[in-house]
Amino acid sequence: MSENKLALSGKVAKAITPDMVGLFFEDINFAADGGLYAELIENRSFEAVKSKGENHNYVLKEDNLYAWSSTEDIEDNLEITFNQPVSEANPHYLRFTAQEPGQGFANKAYDGVSLKKGMTYRLSFYAREVNYPKGVIRAAVTKDGKTFASVDVAFRNATKRPAEWMDTIRVTCDTLEWNFYEATLTADADVSGGRFELHLTEAGSVEFDLISLIPSDAVAGVFRKDLFQALADLHPAFLRFPGGCIVEGTSIMRRYQWKKTVGPLVNRKINTSLWAVQGGNTIGQWEMQDCHYMQSYGIGFYEYFLLCELLSSEMRRCKPVPVLNIGVACQFRSYETVPVDSPEFQEYVQDALDLIEFANGPITSKWGKLRADMGHPEPFNMDMLAIGNEQWESGAVDLAPRYRAFEKAIHERYPEMKCLGTAGPFIQHPLHTAAWQFYHDEAKKNKDFAWAVDEHYYVAPQWLYDNVAMYDDYPRDIYVFSGEYAAHDANLSNSVEGAVAEAAMMTGMERNGDLVRLASYAPLFNRIGHSQWTPDLIWFDAEKVVLTPSWYVQKIFSDYAGTEALDLDGQEKALRESKLYVSAVKNGGKRILKIVNGADEEQTLSLADEAGAPLSTAAVLVTLAAASGEAKYVVATDAVNTVVGNKVLGPGIMSNLEVCLKRAPEDVRLKEDKTWISGSVEVPAKSVVVVVY
Ligand code: AHR
């Protein structure tokens, strides 16, 4: 093998963005409910629906008591009713009847409640009396007959009885007024997999709705602390939200509507999740795991904007990038579209304009006032909007007139807003090229038509190596937003092999940082045992967070970004022959060289300074490699052999947890050493090395 060498130059090739690396958030794999949203109670508003079906053929069934049960296994003391609810947006609630003092009901709380000794948890619920003249509400977390936390909540009896009207017709319903209750549970000891319970200390009947339990350390009272930290540590430059296919929904009716996710929690209309029907939940089977996956919108658009602020760091601001539905249901799941010439379509366009007002408008405006009422009078300073998630011009979807209508309306009113287009789901497809051509053609007439175009690629590691240089040749009239990408190895696992290929690709993005302005790995989260898609950036369960090799790659490119790309004079092409991928940038007085070794053996890279002498300098050397010292060789396992596309398995074959175990993230080590470079660096097999000097 010939010598691998690189002559380093201080010559600036081009200005690049130091703010390329951001986050893609979608409520898939229990990323929001049961994930980043710190709520511990599952189906807290009794609105659960179970879903089954497959492409273009979905059916739903109400299952309002899902996740709830009687603590005494008594049938019929839990009933669902819907007369004069707390909110008509979520009309169902629980009527609980204790036939004897002390009876109660429990919530399964995803994989059970985990408490930490000494930690406090904020309990809240709505309740109203049916018939409960004396007694309190007792809340507890228990396991195997042992209580780990409990609190008695004084009950407020009804003051108003329902009016009787007319002589002949009595008002027969029992309902009285709702009261809101709050209390604190303190954990006496650690517990995993506990059960949340509410009991009536006397016989009687009480109605309950929106029963919530949130750890007091939740960031802003909303975000699970450890998962939030895993995001914050990446110093993201932007957050793309809320998806993903979820923006589109399995049908127009069940699409993501941002207006239904803001304002008081109780009024946020709970929706099914299109991800409830992923994972082998085919038409013949009702009781699939996670078929009750819903969207509570506890993290709604206000919280997403807030999250951006909270994720902003000294290193950089995290900018909001909302994605809008453009009048289409998910093209993989439905043929529904709203005709562009219909009045209904105008409502979609209006939603976009109203969103800008919600994010940025004065508090005297309708939507700016709502933002202020929710606690944020200052604008969120949104300057980007993605028009459509993954649409392109096809037999099923007419992207062009939709994009045009949105762009025109937005720019007429907000000329400074950056509109982001979409090039569809598959980068290797001719429709991808056609989509780009559409934007290029329009840009000739209107340079602001699309600030950037969002392209998605879930591809084999080898594809990334083969296409490392693809951005070298992209036209420079419109920026690139690599809005969803990931290496999919043979087992769809979070391997070092996949992550190193992503790093190689990112050297290409970084070298073209004048063009690739935004890039986000996807998907972001995976609740172990509840995933619909792997690989993902961050895995977690009720108690722990597992950072994947891909997470470390993102961190490296975020934390060691630069403002200028240094000239490599084409040398990167020769190095690719040895499976070495490089990029060199400058940030302030520092130069940063990133080297990715995609080969199976360690390689030496000789480095020369500008005078042609062996580089001799103090440096910080950051190395990311498999913790075992050798990246595993990824082969397809059963978990892959029995899937179709990216679907997990049917129930008889393998549980979601088993699938997750087979695809579990490989351990990596990120090492940082102060060292002296004397003319070369050793780059371990399948690793990423950063030299800061
Ligand atoms: O990231 C998972 C899915 O991949 C997204 O929802 C969608 O945009 C893409 O097809």
Side-chain angles (χ1 to χ4, degrees):
M1 202 184 277
S2 61
E3 188 194 356
N4 296 313
K5 51 184 184 192
L6 181 62
L8 294 161
S9 159
K11 198 170 124 207
V12 171
K14 55 179 93 151
I16 58 170
T17 177
D19 300 328
M20 179 182 80
V21 178
L23 301 171
F24 159 80
F25 189 99
E26 175 172 28
D27 190 2
I28 177 174
N29 304 330
F30 286 48
D33 289 318
L36 184 62
Y37 187 38
E39 178 62 78
L40 297 173
I41 304 298
E42 196 172 356
N43 186 26
R44 65 181 180 185
S45 297
F46 305 95
E47 298 298 331
V49 164
K50 53 185 177 182
S51 308
K52 69 171 180 177
E54 271 193 312
N55 304 352
H56 312 109
N57 189 7
Y58 292 101
V59 277
L60 306 175
K61 208 188 255 185
E62 281 187 357
D63 196 5
N64 305 78
L65 280 176
Y66 167 70
W68 297 96
S69 59
S70 151
T71 50
E72 286 74 31
D73 290 329
I74 299 171
E75 252 182 56
D76 295 341
N77 63 354
L78 275 75
E79 296 164 305
I80 291 295
T81 183
F82 41 82
N83 182 46
Q84 291 179 296
V86 182
S87 166
E88 294 199 349
N90 296 307
H92 303 94
Y93 52 88
L94 173 73
R95 178 178 295 176
F96 177 72
T97 303
Q99 288 139 16
E100 288 173 17
Q103 290 180 349
F105 59 100
N107 185 262
K108 86 172 191 65
Y110 302 101
D111 304 312
V113 177
S114 290
L115 301 182
K116 284 271 159 258
K117 184 178 176 183
M119 171 91 125
T120 55
Y121 299 81
R122 182 178 162 267
L123 168 70
S124 64
F125 54 85
Y126 287 85
R128 71 178 169 192
E129 182 180 8
V130 178
N131 177 22
Y132 193 48
K134 54 181 186 150
V136 300
I137 312 286
R138 179 161 297 157
V141 173
T142 70
K143 186 173 179 184
D144 301 333
K146 194 168 167 227
T147 300
F148 291 82
S150 87
V151 66
D152 280 0
V153 186
F155 186 66
R156 275 171 265 158
N157 290 96
T159 53
K160 283 184 265 162
R161 297 273 142 191
E164 293 185 8
W165 64 286
M166 293 170 60
D167 291 344
T168 47
I169 306 175
R170 268 180 61 84
V171 173
T172 50
C173 71
D174 300 319
T175 50
L176 304 163
E177 74 266 17
W178 287 100
N179 283 309
F180 182 63
Y181 293 84
E182 280 180 293
T184 301
L185 274 171
T186 306
D188 301 330
D190 288 1
V191 64
S192 304
R195 190 164 81 151
F196 172 78
E197 301 176 2
L198 283 178
H199 296 263
L200 303 192
T201 54
E202 299 293 337
S205 186
V206 174
E207 292 170 341
F208 292 90
D209 206 356
L210 215 167
I211 303 172
S212 167
L213 186 67
I214 296 192
S216 57
D217 68 351
V219 178
V222 177
F223 307 108
R224 189 176 132 172
K225 193 177 172 198
D226 53 355
L227 296 182
F228 171 86
Q229 200 53 50
L231 301 182
D233 289 345
L234 290 173
H235 306 113
F238 66 91
L239 177 75
R240 172 177 180 239
F241 61 89
C245 296
I246 218 162
V247 172
E248 300 140 357
T250 44
S251 66
I252 285 290
M253 192 180 92
R254 296 193 180 265
R255 72 190 184 279
Y256 197 104
Q257 299 182 62
W258 75 265
K259 287 177 180 167
K260 295 190 176 174
T261 74
V262 292
L265 265 189
V266 72
N267 294 334
R268 300 185 189 177
K269 186 161 176 51
I270 293 162
N271 195 3
T272 51
S273 169
L274 98 177
W275 295 110
V277 287
Q278 194 81 356
N281 186 10
T282 53
I283 194 77
Q285 300 156 329
W286 261 125
E287 294 303 334
M288 276 299 301
Q289 183 194 343
D290 300 330
C291 67
H292 295 91
Y293 193 0
M294 306 284 290
Q295 303 177 75
S296 76
Y297 298 127
I299 298 179
F301 259 48
Y302 178 83
E303 288 76 18
Y304 281 122
F305 284 118
L306 197 64
L307 183 58
C308 291
E309 283 197 350
L310 294 166
L311 291 175
S312 294
S313 58
E314 273 182 16
M315 211 175 264
R316 58 177 70 89
R317 177 173 173 237
C318 178
K319 293 183 173 189
V321 185
V323 183
L324 299 169
N325 185 307
I326 55 172
V328 296
C330 177
Q331 64 212 343
F332 296 117
R333 298 167 171 89
S334 167
Y335 297 126
E336 283 186 355
T337 56
V338 174
V340 178
D341 55 5
S342 66
E344 201 188 340
F345 181 75
Q346 283 317 308
E347 290 172 25
Y348 288 70
V349 176
Q350 189 59 44
D351 276 357
L353 299 175
D354 292 342
L355 177 61
I356 300 172
E357 188 176 290
F358 177 73
N360 299 348
I363 60 172
T364 47
S365 64
K366 176 180 170 190
W367 293 102
K369 179 174 180 317
L370 176 60
R371 182 191 71 239
D373 290 348
M374 291 183 75
H376 205 285
E378 308 78 24
F380 282 120
N381 297 318
M382 171 179 101
D383 69 352
M384 289 181 268
L385 257 184
I387 301 174
N389 167 46
E390 220 174 37
Q391 282 70 48
W392 52 17
E393 196 72 28
S394 67
V397 178
D398 47 344
L399 168 72
R402 290 171 195 277
Y403 186 92
R404 277 196 197 101
F406 271 76
E407 185 275 331
K408 186 166 180 293
I410 292 170
H411 280 151
E412 265 171 17
R413 188 122 163 242
Y414 301 101
E416 68 294 348
M417 190 58 59
K418 295 168 181 152
C419 290
L420 312 181
T422 144
F426 304 124
I427 202 165
Q428 291 139 295
H429 199 283
L431 286 179
H432 172 90
T433 317
W436 263 108
Q437 196 53 52
F438 160 65
Y439 295 106
H440 289 311
D441 290 346
E442 295 285 336
K444 286 181 195 132
K445 296 173 257 166
N446 169 8
K447 67 175 177 32
D448 297 324
F449 187 70
W451 184 79
V453 170
D454 178 12
E455 47 183 37
H456 296 177
Y457 36 108
Y458 298 104
V459 289
Q462 191 56 46
W463 189 94
L464 294 175
Y465 289 126
D466 293 344
N467 289 276
V468 158
M470 78 177 179
Y471 292 123
D472 295 2
D473 304 326
Y474 265 46
R476 259 47 188 174
D477 54 342
I478 302 172
Y479 295 129
V480 167
F481 174 16
S482 299
E484 294 181 30
Y485 67 91
H488 283 191
D489 68 29
N491 195 25
L492 297 176
S493 66
N494 274 103
S495 58
V496 169
E497 178 191 323
V500 170
E502 287 152 11
M505 187 71 196
M506 289 181 85
T507 62
M509 293 180 185
E510 187 176 70
R511 286 189 302 97
N512 289 284
D514 58 321
L515 172 81
V516 185
R517 300 293 288 259
L518 308 162
S520 40
Y521 178 99
L524 187 54
F525 283 120
N526 174 3
R527 183 168 178 127
I528 301 165
H530 302 275
S531 73
Q532 293 80 42
W533 184 296
T534 61
D536 311 287
L537 201 63
I538 299 164
W539 292 42
F540 65 94
D541 63 16
E543 286 160 17
K544 67 173 181 300
V545 177
V546 182
L547 302 174
T548 64
S550 297
W551 184 92
Y552 285 97
V553 166
Q554 296 293 311
K555 183 162 175 62
I556 282 177
F557 279 84
S558 176
D559 288 0
Y560 297 100
T563 53
E564 285 156 324
L566 294 171
D567 197 10
L568 292 169
D569 200 20
Q571 299 170 91
E572 74 281 4
K573 293 180 191 135
L575 289 173
R576 289 204 289 267
E577 300 297 315
S578 308
K579 292 204 101 181
L580 286 174
Y581 306 87
V582 293
S583 97
V585 300
K586 207 173 139 187
N587 197 346
K590 295 264 174 242
R591 291 186 196 178
I592 303 167
L593 172 67
K594 298 188 187 74
I595 312 157
V596 177
N597 182 3
D600 290 325
E601 60 281 339
E602 182 176 273
Q603 302 198 64
T604 303
L605 179 63
S606 302
L607 298 172
D609 65 17
E610 281 161 285
L615 182 72
S616 178
T617 178
V620 174
L621 202 70
V622 179
T623 307
L624 176 72
S628 65
E630 201 175 334
K632 76 177 173 222
Y633 182 64
V634 181
V635 287
T637 67
D638 294 352
V640 170
N641 292 336
T642 45
V643 294
V644 181
N646 202 339
K647 280 190 187 171
V648 193
L649 305 172
I653 307 164
M654 206 179 284
S655 75
N656 195 312
L657 188 59
E658 283 171 299
V659 173
C660 281
L661 288 173
K662 283 183 179 279
R663 296 177 179 174
E666 199 170 348
D667 282 341
V668 282
R669 187 146 23 103
L670 184 69
K671 219 163 42 107
E672 200 181 297
D673 299 310
K674 284 197 176 130
T675 184
W676 189 267
I677 305 283
S678 304
S680 67
V681 281
E682 302 302 320
V683 193
K686 299 268 181 207
S687 75
V688 184
V689 169
V690 184
V691 187
V692 185
Y693 62 103

